[in-house]
Amino acid sequence: MNELRFPENFRWGAATAAYQIEGAARDDGRGPSIWDTFSRTPGKVHQGHTGDVACDHYHRYADDVALMAELGLHTYRFSIAWPRIQPDGTGPVNPRGLDFYDRLVDTLLARGIDPIVTLYHWDLPQALEDRGGWTARETAEHFATYATAVYARLGDRVGTWTTLNEPWCSAYLGYGNGVHAPGERNAGAAFTAVHHLLLGHGLAARALRAAGAETVGITLNPADVRAADPDSAADAAAVRLVDGLQNRIFLDPLLRAAYPEDMLEHVARIVEPTFVRDGDEKLIAAPIDLLGVNFYQPTYVAGRPDGAGGGGAYPGTDGAVEFLPPTGPLTDMGWMIEPAGLTRLLERIATDYPGVPLLVTENGAAFPDKAGSDPAGEVQDTDRIAYLDGHLRAAHEAIARGVDLRGYLVWSLLDNFEWAEGYRKRFGIVHVDYLTQRRTLKSSARWYQEVISRNGL
Ligand code: FCB
């Protein structure tokens, strides 16, 4: 294949999230989060796995940063655990919680690695959930207060701030189909949560900006939604609905200061949208400097006018939409591998929502890796290399077509706690032996190191 070079200043990195790697669930005054509660609820997480220990990154962060430096990462995206900063979600700040991130940031900077902070990657303080969680408007306000407290401590050294990670998952999986914490199953609650998450983003973005933050953004998981049959009108209608629920319901208020009309109608069929108050859309549309895009696989849908569609995780699509089973070679998550979907998605965002620089904040794949599967004792994960190579070519193609893509972060640096799947799905380019906490570079890590050093493929 042709050699590809990425633009100068293209940023290469890796991403993780607090609950998935830190462990130390009770250290230094951390309060319980909804994931502590959910993972202890029988039947919710594979084999009752929890994030109590995870990769023990809380104690091993210096070694993990050394690994990042060895790989040559320019940047590292991690999330802050709100319950470490405010154990009850509101009230006094716990300085010991901030101390950890302080040390982490200093260690990164000492190695020349630029930190990207995610303020919320799903670990809501349980005390706030007890008051309604994201279905309560006050949570949005508390989120902005928390963001301000974190900025006050780290803002002198962290340039890039993102508010939420994938509010789609927090709302639809957390409150809609119950697959994620807090495990509620209520379509109306899911839409209420969408709005309060977006409001929380807007309030936090403004607060960060006012405090002096350089670069402020949000990470979404927008999807490339495709029709099963490109000639079918029913399928086109299904695409429009799912695109609305996955993409436009987030992107339009964020970047056009208004919810799409068809989504307002869809939501109103399920719940009276009294939670949207005058002026909210303007607050949500606080200017951003960066849009994070997480991409794993495309979504294929068919319209089912006969009412026999499965609906899936999208509130209000039961019966009307069928989500096609993924085809071709799949990842260990059962996810489809179609890199062209990333090119299409990036181009579509750049066309429909111009003017915001994009960053791939997550892309990667789970495969059933075996430690010691190559002669050097490393993990031979050629399937992961092929996945990453394909998606980097797709990202490069988007750049060639004019998309302002600033960088790429692989998910994930380490094997980690994959939410409802527990530890059985391995996304890392670094293998973690959970019994010994030994880290072993997979061949994909060596490959990525080479990609970074050549700035290309
Ligand atoms: C994304 C999440 C991330 C990880 C990957 C596989 O939806 O943001 O934490 O679980 O999926």
Side-chain angles (χ1 to χ4, degrees):
M1 283 205 212
N2 293 341
E3 280 201 11
L4 292 184
R5 284 282 168 279
F6 282 75
E8 246 181 85
N9 301 325
F10 192 77
R11 298 208 284 169
W12 297 99
T16 63
Y19 191 72
Q20 296 181 275
I21 64 163
E22 286 178 359
R26 286 176 200 80
D27 285 40
D28 297 331
R30 178 186 176 279
S33 82
I34 55 175
W35 272 95
D36 295 286
T37 307
F38 190 73
S39 60
R40 283 182 169 64
T41 310
K44 298 298 185 189
V45 173
H46 174 71
Q47 289 186 358
H49 293 169
T50 74
D52 284 2
V53 178
C55 308
D56 195 30
H57 173 76
Y58 193 82
H59 300 112
R60 294 166 196 265
Y61 71 92
D63 292 345
D64 290 339
V65 174
L67 275 178
M68 297 176 211
E70 184 184 341
L71 296 179
L73 302 192
H74 304 161
T75 182
Y76 171 55
R77 169 182 183 247
F78 61 94
S79 81
I80 307 247
W82 187 348
R84 288 198 193 281
I85 312 305
Q86 289 173 297
D88 295 327
T90 58
V93 164
N94 169 31
R96 287 182 300 161
L98 281 168
D99 289 347
F100 168 67
Y101 298 105
D102 207 77
R103 293 192 294 272
L104 174 60
V105 165
D106 283 344
T107 309
L108 288 165
L109 292 174
R111 298 276 194 166
I113 301 168
D114 189 29
I116 297 183
V117 164
T118 304
L119 285 160
Y120 184 73
H121 201 126
W122 309 351
D123 42 359
L124 187 73
Q126 180 61 42
L128 284 181
E129 182 53 38
D130 295 342
R131 289 150 68 167
W134 288 109
T135 67
R137 189 178 175 93
E138 60 162 308
T139 299
E141 284 146 20
H142 296 315
F143 179 62
T145 307
Y146 149 72
T148 308
V150 178
Y151 185 86
R153 183 70 174 272
L154 304 179
D156 58 336
R157 282 153 296 148
V158 174
T160 306
W161 295 80
T162 62
T163 53
L164 308 174
N165 176 70
E166 301 190 4
W168 182 98
C169 290
S170 300
Y172 296 172
L173 304 183
Y175 296 89
N177 74 357
V179 167
H180 280 182
E184 199 172 325
R185 293 161 184 251
N186 174 335
F191 287 128
T192 313
V194 166
H195 183 66
H196 293 145
L197 282 154
L198 286 170
L199 184 64
H201 155 80
L203 295 173
R206 274 179 120 206
L208 291 166
R209 178 90 58 206
E214 244 168 65
T215 303
V216 179
I218 183 171
T219 282
L220 303 178
N221 55 327
D224 172 50
V225 186
R226 317 282 296 166
D229 172 1
D231 297 324
S232 149
D235 291 5
V239 168
R240 173 120 187 109
L241 176 58
V242 173
D243 178 61
L245 290 166
Q246 176 107 34
N247 301 321
R248 292 179 293 109
I249 202 170
F250 296 101
L251 288 164
D252 279 26
L254 286 167
L255 298 167
R256 295 177 176 172
Y259 282 112
E261 277 307 319
D262 62 327
M263 283 298 105
L264 289 174
E265 285 162 22
H266 180 81
V267 171
R269 281 195 285 275
I270 291 162
V271 58
E272 215 193 317
T274 48
F275 45 84
V276 182
R277 297 195 191 158
D278 278 355
D280 281 1
E281 286 159 306
K282 207 164 159 233
L283 291 173
I284 293 170
I288 54 171
D289 314 292
L290 187 71
L291 178 65
V293 172
N294 292 353
F295 180 84
Y296 291 92
Q297 62 167 347
T299 303
Y300 281 85
V301 299
R304 291 305 297 263
D306 59 356
Y314 298 76
T317 59
D318 275 357
V321 178
E322 185 175 327
F323 291 82
L324 269 62
T327 54
L330 305 178
T331 73
D332 199 28
M333 294 293 278
W335 293 351
M336 191 164 166
I337 304 174
E338 192 174 295
L342 176 59
T343 312
R344 292 191 298 256
L345 177 65
L346 293 172
E347 243 195 317
R348 185 272 175 106
I349 297 174
T351 306
D352 287 0
Y353 305 91
V356 197
L358 305 179
L359 178 68
V360 172
T361 35
E362 288 182 24
N363 173 247
F367 287 107
D369 306 309
K370 288 229 169 30
S373 54
D374 91 339
E378 295 190 354
V379 178
Q380 196 73 54
D381 57 343
T382 44
D383 34 18
R384 183 172 291 100
I385 292 175
Y387 180 98
L388 297 175
D389 179 89
H391 285 80
L392 283 176
R393 287 175 194 279
H396 190 277
E397 178 61 24
I399 296 169
R401 295 187 195 175
V403 173
D404 182 9
L405 180 68
R406 301 289 172 92
Y408 175 94
L409 314 182
V410 67
W411 183 272
S412 182
L413 178 73
L414 304 171
D415 289 336
N416 60 48
F417 175 81
E418 178 46 35
W419 308 114
E421 299 292 342
Y423 296 98
R424 74 168 152 170
K425 304 295 180 190
R426 293 181 176 271
F427 273 93
I429 56 173
V430 175
H431 182 273
V432 176
D433 177 334
Y434 294 112
L435 291 177
T436 60
Q437 290 296 346
R438 197 179 121 99
R439 275 73 162 141
T440 308
L441 299 191
K442 302 181 190 177
S443 43
S444 58
R446 296 282 178 214
W447 171 87
Y448 195 48
Q449 180 181 44
E450 182 71 25
V451 169
I452 296 172
S453 76
R454 295 162 48 160
N455 194 34
L457 299 162

